[in-house]
Amino acid sequence: MNKADLAGPLSPRFCGRAAELAALNAAYDDAAGGDPRVVLLGAEAGGGKSRLVQEFVARIDDRALVLVGSSVELSEAALPYAPFTAALRDLVRVRSVDAVSELVDGATELAWLLPEFGTPPVSSAGPEMARARLFEVFLRLLEKLAGEQPVVLVVEDAHWADDSTRDLLSFLTGNLRHGALLMVVTFRFEELRRGHPLRPLLARMARSGGVISVTLPRLTRLEVADQLEGILGRPASAAVVESIYDRGDGVPLFTEAMTKADGTVRADLPSSLSDLLLEMVQGLPDESQQVLRAAAVGGRRVGHGLLAAVTRLDEASLTEALRPAAAANVVISDADGYAFRHSLIREAVSADLLAGERARWHRAFAEALEETQTLAGGVGSASRLAVHWQGAHDDERALRAAWTAAGESRRGLGYAEQLRMLEQVLRLWQSAPAAAADTGVDHVGALELAADAALWAGRPERGLTLVEIAIGELGGSGGERLAALLLRRAELRQERLQPGQLDDLRAALQLASHPGRIRAQALGQLARVLMRHDLREEALPLSVELSDLADAAGDDEIQAEALITRAHLGTREGEDTIGLLNRALELAGRSGSVRLELLAYVGLTHANESRGNHEAAIDAGRAGLLRTSQLGSARYVAELIAQNLAESLVSAGHWDEALETVQRALDLDPAPYGRVNLLLCRGRIAVARGETAVIDQTFQELAALSDPRAEAQQTLPRVQLELEQKSADGDLAGALTVAATVPDLGRGADPRYVWPLLAASARICAESGSTEELEAVAAATSTPWPVEKAHAQVFAAELTSAPDPSAWDTAAAAWGVLSRPYPQAYALMRSAIAAAALGDRPAAADSLRQAAALASGIGAHVLHQQVSRLAVRMKVDLVGSPGGTAVDEPFHLTERELEVLRLIATGRSNREIAGELFISPKTASVHVSNILAKLGVASRGAAAATAHRLRLFDLG
């Protein structure tokens, strides 16, 4: 692509963006060297994003393959993958379809983006798998191109991006690790109000390695003067500069709009930008204005042939009508169409249309699209028709187009787009008499499809509303149809922490009498929920029936459902269920059931963590999150995998990575059910690190999500967190009050959650002598896995009446075998206290040193401070070497900071550290600053010397 493809603003002079251009050039140099980079370029409307990209592209155009695509704003119907479709079209123009197809296996998957690649392959595995294949093929295509020459992929106007585009952006950012590729994503930051779906994506991307954020400020007074000189070809007078700067506030677009060709400021300046932009259009000939009014209804960009058909002008007349608009820089002409130079111009023109005029142009576009089939077969063609027919007030045609668009979106895995189109269908249903005949479903069927789309799109609150309406319309009848709706409502209620989930599941099971998939799903879903509510006796026969049904049916999906359910029950009883879950994962993938595939990942992370195999749990969690990224629409399961992964990272001592995992999941704005689990994990680390502000915020958020019917896996950890927080604050009375609730909560509950709570309560209650009820619960609670056995050993050690180092050494050894540094450090500290009480100072000193190293390595500041204070009282040198230098105050370096310090000691720069650890350069810089402050040194060299002298690397 060349410079002309990115047309610029009115001024030929590039002003005031030197630092930002340098950042883009630096990112390109890194990418060209084989380290992919992503630049997030934000500015306000009219702030000069496109001009900056144009100038950057002009500088590297002869050294790179540049592909550009923009997200499209078209009422409520965002076009799936619009910028990637445009970029691929750019590539095809340069290389041809055949040449592109030869670059990568499976190129027919690209037909989801461009019909020129043929018919999109249809697979029995379902649309979710098709989406994953498309993402992988697009990634391999970029990697192949980047192997030939540096590639710059520009995605403009991401604030209008649809869910599918955002998911592909997230996938590319997370999976581009090597190759000469730079991706530039532009967006308007003032569009990103609270709740805007791009906000969490940008937050996640900004924390990824190789991602750089660039924000364009407004121009200074001197830069506005420079811009004016470029526009006029001579310096503007001081009065003109002053007037335009004061009124335009340094926004480049405002400066252009207010400047007249004679160097004066436009008189009688309208109060609104809309009027100001309309003034630019109103000075054009009537023929030009008429065409622009039509084009404004069509969107920011309209193809030449389509616009000719809509306006009923021949090609020559259309070209002549638009020539003045192009000369005035209102529109930009490319190879086969026209775009408004700035979307604000199009918005102003569109808003100025009378209602009847707008409806007439919508009808003209709809008729032209149907007559010429300009967009036939392309992604988003039906959604365009739906918008235009609705704008033309032709409800029947708008409904048919919206229904077709919903199907397109489903096949393209764009669940949010599917939901929007189905909601348009529902809005038009009563005014379109042939709705049922046109869609092939009744109103309840349309509601059911919309509720399903809402769940997958991460909109459980909307899904609940839709499914409630559908259930109401069935009026208590419907058999398996009603059962399916009740199953969906149960899932949605769980996501929203609403009551009635078990009632729905039991009712669904009664209705689903036929031994097929609906009954299998009801059996599995009910059995798993019952187990989470500690109702094992009711769950067990359901699991047995489901296994028998699966054996008889021979259906992959039903078999996967049965295996996951058996594993859910078996893990709690101490059975080895990893084989069952791996088989379920295989069957779910083969059947195309994304729900079951991701539930299998949830089960694998849970089962491995239960067994104490944290590394296997971490591997499964990372693989599961990668799958959710590929299948982007499964957000309501992704948060469970993220929570399980974070829990295993905490167990293994990787606390910084656990926090990063939690924050990425919270950035998705999960439903309350998933949010509780994530907050509990964050809270545990905050209490152990003494982070008061985070603790307070976490408890406030948890209080807002309070649910008296919560499952044991949420209730018990919440109580444990409160107990540990009060204990850390020295509130013994408050801690005892919380501990008093534990016996009732723990009876019959899952041992995995009971034992850590019993151990924490024993620590408090032992001092008051009120341990009888706790001991009774402990005696009745099994220890199916080594983790529970280790907690039981801590529980027993807490209750010893006399100092007993051997009891604590046994517990510490159990945690050591499980590679869980935090509880091991705590047990070692208690062993040191007991040994010191018995006068065995060498043993106490050795235990303290081990405890200090473990606590320091994971950043457990509160525990490390306790160990340090004990060391001072016992006169123990925590460094531990003969004649070694004692550390007067602990440095509190976290595990991540030790990793960064190691890289500092090898002479790595911040950018190199960021690349090595897959974090952003900004995050690396923050870590370096924290390290220098904690070590009390002024330079990186001094930090490295101090680390070696004090053997700090031995603590990691």
Side-chain angles (χ1 to χ4, degrees):
M1 177 171 185
N2 58 40
K3 181 177 178 179
D5 292 320
L6 285 172
L10 191 60
S11 174
R13 182 176 297 180
F14 183 57
C15 309
R17 304 300 189 205
E20 292 79 10
L21 181 60
L24 283 171
N25 287 330
Y28 173 79
D29 290 340
D30 289 342
D35 293 324
R37 292 289 181 263
V38 178
V39 175
L40 305 178
L41 178 59
E44 63 186 307
K49 303 181 303 295
S50 296
R51 179 60 188 272
L52 175 59
V53 172
Q54 172 198 351
E55 292 293 330
F56 164 65
V57 167
R59 286 163 168 77
I60 53 92
D61 195 38
D62 58 345
R63 295 177 284 148
L65 171 65
V66 180
L67 305 172
V68 179
S70 297
S71 297
V72 178
E73 188 226 15
L74 185 61
S75 185
E76 295 181 354
L79 300 183
Y81 307 116
F84 298 105
T85 297
L88 187 59
R89 187 179 291 114
D90 266 358
L91 180 62
V92 166
R93 285 175 185 150
V94 175
R95 297 283 187 97
S96 81
V97 170
D98 290 341
V100 174
S101 298
E102 291 175 1
L103 288 173
V104 60
D105 293 334
T108 53
E109 300 291 344
L110 299 175
W112 292 112
L113 302 181
L114 269 187
E116 287 88 337
F117 284 90
T119 301
V122 177
S123 170
S124 60
E128 293 83 5
M129 298 303 168
R131 177 190 182 114
R133 290 197 300 268
L134 169 61
F135 282 21
E136 290 290 348
V137 168
F138 198 86
L139 172 63
R140 292 200 303 272
L141 175 61
L142 291 177
E143 290 174 339
K144 193 74 172 179
L145 292 168
E148 298 174 354
Q149 68 179 124
V151 175
V152 176
L153 174 61
V154 179
V155 177
E156 292 202 277
D157 298 327
H159 50 277
W160 286 326
D162 63 288
D163 282 41
S164 299
T165 296
R166 291 193 297 272
D167 289 340
L168 184 47
L169 275 175
S170 178
F171 176 78
L172 293 175
T173 302
N175 289 278
L176 283 169
R177 289 287 179 260
H178 304 287
L181 177 70
L182 169 64
M183 188 159 62
V184 180
V185 182
T186 75
F187 60 94
R188 289 189 201 166
F189 52 66
E190 81 273 16
E191 294 275 351
L192 307 187
R193 301 177 181 88
R194 181 174 294 277
H196 193 290
L198 186 64
R199 287 180 62 161
L201 173 59
L202 292 178
R204 294 195 306 276
M205 291 174 70
R207 287 193 299 273
S208 300
V211 177
I212 301 155
S213 295
V214 176
T215 300
L216 298 187
R218 292 182 174 181
L219 299 180
T220 66
R221 191 184 306 271
L222 290 176
E223 289 165 347
V224 168
D226 194 26
Q227 182 187 8
L228 286 169
E229 184 173 347
I231 293 172
L232 301 173
R234 64 183 186 280
S237 68
V240 168
V241 173
E242 187 71 17
S243 176
I244 288 181
Y245 181 78
D246 287 344
R247 296 186 180 187
D249 292 322
V251 177
L253 180 66
F254 289 21
T255 298
E256 296 168 7
M258 289 184 290
T259 306
K260 299 180 70 172
D262 62 1
T264 61
V265 181
R266 294 182 183 273
D268 303 320
L269 188 65
S271 60
S272 70
L273 175 60
S274 177
D275 289 342
L276 177 63
L277 294 171
L278 282 175
E279 187 177 337
M280 300 169 62
V281 174
Q282 289 163 354
L284 298 173
D286 291 343
E287 295 82 0
S288 299
Q289 292 188 47
Q290 185 74 350
V291 172
L292 290 176
R293 291 189 184 99
V297 172
R300 186 173 176 185
R301 185 192 177 281
V302 184
H304 179 85
L306 178 60
L307 190 55
V310 167
T311 59
R312 308 291 182 182
L313 294 175
D314 58 49
E315 292 197 6
S317 299
L318 178 61
T319 299
E320 287 306 310
L322 284 173
R323 193 178 300 280
N329 218 21
V330 172
V331 297
I332 302 162
S333 174
D334 58 24
D336 58 0
Y338 308 95
F340 284 88
R341 181 176 61 85
H342 198 288
S343 60
L344 292 178
I345 301 174
R346 186 199 69 79
E347 292 166 13
V349 174
S350 178
D352 194 50
L353 295 172
L354 298 175
E357 186 181 14
R358 184 179 297 105
R360 178 167 61 85
W361 285 124
H362 272 300
R363 177 171 292 277
F365 269 102
E367 291 174 345
L369 285 169
E370 288 192 340
E371 289 172 5
T372 64
Q373 294 295 300
T374 301
L375 296 177
V379 174
S381 59
S383 62
R384 285 178 177 266
L385 277 172
V387 168
H388 288 308
W389 280 127
Q390 186 171 26
H393 309 301
D394 191 324
D395 291 347
E396 290 198 12
R397 287 179 172 177
L399 182 142
R400 288 197 296 270
W403 179 258
T404 302
E408 283 184 358
S409 298
R410 171 75 182 191
R411 289 189 295 273
L413 313 176
Y415 294 104
E417 295 86 348
Q418 180 195 14
L419 176 60
R420 279 194 288 269
M421 288 294 98
L422 286 173
E423 295 216 272
Q424 179 169 330
V425 168
L426 293 168
R427 285 195 300 271
L428 297 171
W429 195 274
Q430 297 304 322
S431 58
D438 288 338
T439 61
V441 300
D442 59 11
H443 193 246
V444 171
L447 286 163
E448 185 175 8
L449 286 170
D452 183 68
L455 180 67
W456 285 92
R459 294 279 310 281
E461 70 291 342
R462 182 56 184 155
L464 268 173
T465 300
L466 292 164
V467 82
E468 293 282 8
I469 296 171
I471 290 173
E473 290 190 11
L474 281 179
S477 62
E480 287 202 344
R481 192 177 191 192
L482 179 56
L485 284 168
L486 290 172
L487 290 175
R488 178 63 73 233
R489 187 169 71 177
E491 285 185 271
L492 292 162
R493 281 176 163 174
Q494 174 181 286
E495 290 297 292
R496 298 294 302 166
L497 292 179
Q498 291 188 1
Q501 182 187 12
L502 279 172
D503 292 340
D504 278 348
L505 292 173
R506 288 171 175 140
L509 185 60
Q510 286 186 336
L511 289 167
S513 57
H514 176 72
R517 288 189 176 183
I518 297 297
R519 183 165 182 83
Q521 187 177 344
L523 286 166
Q525 203 169 322
L526 177 55
R528 294 192 295 272
V529 173
L530 287 169
M531 285 297 294
R532 294 202 296 271
H533 283 274
D534 299 312
L535 299 172
R536 179 182 179 278
E537 296 306 315
E538 185 180 350
L540 187 58
L542 301 180
S543 177
V544 172
E545 180 186 344
L546 178 54
S547 294
D548 292 341
L549 192 159
D551 291 340
D555 180 282
D556 285 349
E557 185 172 332
I558 297 177
Q559 288 179 0
E561 188 94 50
L563 290 170
I564 291 170
T565 304
R566 282 176 54 194
H568 199 88
L569 275 66
T571 297
R572 174 167 171 170
E573 303 302 317
E575 297 176 16
D576 185 353
T577 58
I578 303 302
L580 295 176
L581 289 163
N582 281 324
R583 176 62 176 157
L585 186 63
E586 177 187 349
L587 291 171
R590 196 163 72 191
S591 71
S593 173
V594 172
R595 179 182 68 90
L596 291 174
E597 182 181 353
L598 297 183
L599 283 178
Y601 276 115
V602 173
L604 280 168
T605 54
H606 179 87
N608 276 301
E609 176 65 19
S610 294
R611 291 159 55 95
N613 193 345
H614 318 306
E615 295 306 321
I618 290 168
D619 289 343
R622 288 170 176 163
L625 285 184
L626 178 60
R627 268 316 262 158
T628 65
S629 174
Q630 293 170 337
L631 302 169
S633 50
R635 292 184 177 90
Y636 80 107
V637 181
E639 63 209 25
L640 299 181
I641 298 174
Q643 185 272 330
N644 284 356
L645 171 59
E647 182 182 6
S648 296
L649 289 166
V650 168
S651 296
H654 308 314
W655 288 12
D656 290 328
E657 186 180 349
L659 288 173
E660 291 168 6
T661 300
V662 166
Q663 192 56 53
R664 281 195 296 270
L666 288 173
D667 285 342
L668 287 170
D669 192 21
Y673 181 78
R675 191 171 191 85
V676 167
N677 295 323
L678 295 164
L679 290 172
L680 288 170
C681 186
R682 187 181 75 184
R684 287 177 58 195
I685 298 175
V687 168
R689 287 184 167 175
E691 297 169 339
T692 305
V694 177
I695 295 168
D696 291 344
Q697 180 185 354
T698 300
F699 275 106
Q700 288 174 9
E701 292 187 54
L702 285 171
L705 298 171
S706 178
D707 177 20
R709 303 160 303 278
E711 304 159 357
Q713 65 185 46
Q714 290 190 342
T715 301
L716 271 61
R718 284 175 80 151
V719 172
Q720 183 178 347
L721 181 64
E722 186 177 1
L723 183 68
E724 292 177 345
Q725 183 262 335
K726 290 185 180 299
S727 178
D729 286 349
D731 181 5
L732 180 59
L736 282 169
T737 300
V738 175
T741 68
V742 171
D744 288 338
L745 292 171
R747 290 189 182 94
D750 189 338
R752 174 174 175 174
Y753 305 102
V754 175
W755 276 112
L757 183 55
L758 285 173
S761 300
R763 184 184 319 159
I764 303 300
C765 295
E767 298 182 22
S768 65
S770 54
T771 62
E772 290 183 6
E773 289 189 276
L774 292 178
E775 292 179 80
V777 174
T781 304
S782 64
T783 54
W785 296 107
V787 175
E788 287 85 6
K789 290 180 173 65
H791 280 300
Q793 288 164 346
V794 171
F795 179 82
E798 295 281 9
L799 298 184
T800 54
S801 57
D804 186 358
S806 63
W808 286 109
D809 288 339
T810 299
W815 291 124
V817 170
L818 291 168
S819 300
R820 291 185 62 163
Y822 183 73
Q824 183 185 7
Y826 173 77
L828 285 166
M829 181 186 73
R830 295 297 302 272
S831 175
I833 294 171
L838 295 176
D840 190 350
R841 298 184 65 79
D846 184 58
S847 294
L848 279 182
R849 292 185 188 110
Q850 293 181 62
L854 290 167
S856 175
I858 59 177
H861 303 324
V862 173
L863 181 58
H864 193 279
Q865 287 168 356
Q866 292 172 347
V867 171
S868 298
R869 286 194 292 268
L870 285 170
V872 170
R873 291 202 300 269
M874 296 179 189
K875 295 183 171 52
V876 172
D877 171 11
L878 288 181
V879 175
S881 59
T885 303
V887 182
D888 294 330
E889 294 181 2
F891 291 116
H892 306 319
L893 292 173
T894 67
E895 179 191 27
R896 177 66 87 189
E897 287 166 350
L898 279 170
E899 289 179 319
V900 173
L901 183 54
R902 285 190 182 94
L903 295 174
I904 290 173
T906 63
R908 305 289 182 87
S909 67
N910 287 359
R911 186 176 297 279
E912 290 169 333
I913 291 170
E916 186 84 14
L917 300 180
F918 299 104
I919 58 179
S920 70
K922 180 179 179 181
T923 300
S925 176
V926 170
H927 282 315
V928 171
S929 298
N930 289 341
I931 289 167
L932 297 183
K934 289 181 179 182
L935 295 181
V937 296
S939 69
R940 301 161 71 96
T946 300
H948 286 298
R949 177 170 57 84
L950 296 180
R951 299 171 60 189
L952 292 182
F953 296 146
D954 294 343
L955 304 183

